[in-house]
Amino acid sequence: MSERIKIPKAAPAAYKAMLAFESYLETTRISPLHHEMIRIRASQINGCAYCIDKHSRDARKQGETEQRIYALTAWRETPFFTEEEQAILAITEEVTLMHKGLSDATYAKAAALFDEEYLAQVIMAVIIINAWNRIGVSTHLQPAKA
């Protein structure tokens, strides 16, 4: 792949705004593991190899198991995720796949589990990783070999 534009250098103000959005999300009630779960699942859907690698590593540092990381692509088919995590993953998938949108059923289930503030924080976490994925994919950002 050819080298592409470096967003932090070419558009530093925009990149700084992205980092500020990310910093806000670090102040929310979303647990670090749930945050990484959102990041990994959206990155899998979007095909962002850089983010999949980065956030899988970060999840392991937070104590996430290999088994659960590997099962994220088939989370509905496993008993590994709590009801709350299933709701978070469903929101992640539906907000990421905007051509379908966030269904009434998924929204209602999440609204029954989470208060409005937390639900808004989850949606915002999905939005920011989708933005990062679009930067990574469009600029061909590559993970480093371990």
Side-chain angles (χ1 to χ4, degrees), residues 4-61:
R4 294 200 174 178
I5 193 169
K6 304 287 188 234
I7 299 293
K9 184 177 179 183
Y15 195 78
K16 185 177 178 181
M18 291 281 293
L19 292 174
F21 190 2
E22 191 70 45
S23 292
Y24 155 74
L25 289 172
E26 297 303 323
T27 71
T28 67
R29 296 184 341 231
I30 302 171
S31 76
L33 283 176
H34 288 172
H35 224 149
E36 295 306 335
M37 187 180 299
I38 291 166
R39 291 169 173 149
I40 295 166
R41 186 66 192 118
S43 300
Q44 290 169 333
I45 293 167
N46 290 323
C48 185
Y50 178 86
C51 289
I52 293 168
D53 179 69
K54 178 188 184 329
H55 296 297
S56 294
R57 290 174 190 264
D58 291 347
R60 284 191 291 275
K61 288 177 189 171

Side-chain angles (χ1 to χ4, degrees), residues 41-49 96-97 129-131 133-134 137:
R41 186 66 192 118
S43 300
Q44 290 169 333
I45 293 167
N46 290 323
C48 185
T96 299
L97 299 167
I129 190 58
N130 274 280
N133 288 164
R134 279 145 182 79
V137 171

Side-chain angles (χ1 to χ4, degrees), residues 58-133:
D58 291 347
R60 284 191 291 275
K61 288 177 189 171
Q62 291 290 333
E64 187 58 88
T65 66
E66 296 288 324
Q67 184 180 40
R68 282 174 35 108
I69 292 171
Y70 300 150
L72 279 172
T73 58
W75 62 269
R76 286 180 181 86
E77 309 303 323
T78 72
F80 306 151
F81 301 97
T82 67
E83 184 179 24
E84 290 80 9
E85 290 169 337
Q86 291 173 21
I88 288 168
L89 289 166
I91 290 169
T92 300
E93 290 181 356
E94 291 181 18
V95 171
T96 299
L97 299 167
M98 281 306 298
H99 63 281
K100 295 180 182 180
L102 182 56
S103 71
D104 289 340
T106 298
Y107 183 86
K109 183 174 182 173
L113 293 168
F114 310 127
D115 63 33
E116 284 187 356
E117 179 186 42
Y118 191 80
L119 183 53
Q121 292 170 350
V122 168
I123 291 170
M124 297 307 285
V126 176
I127 290 167
I128 190 65
I129 190 58
N130 274 280
W132 287 121
N133 288 164

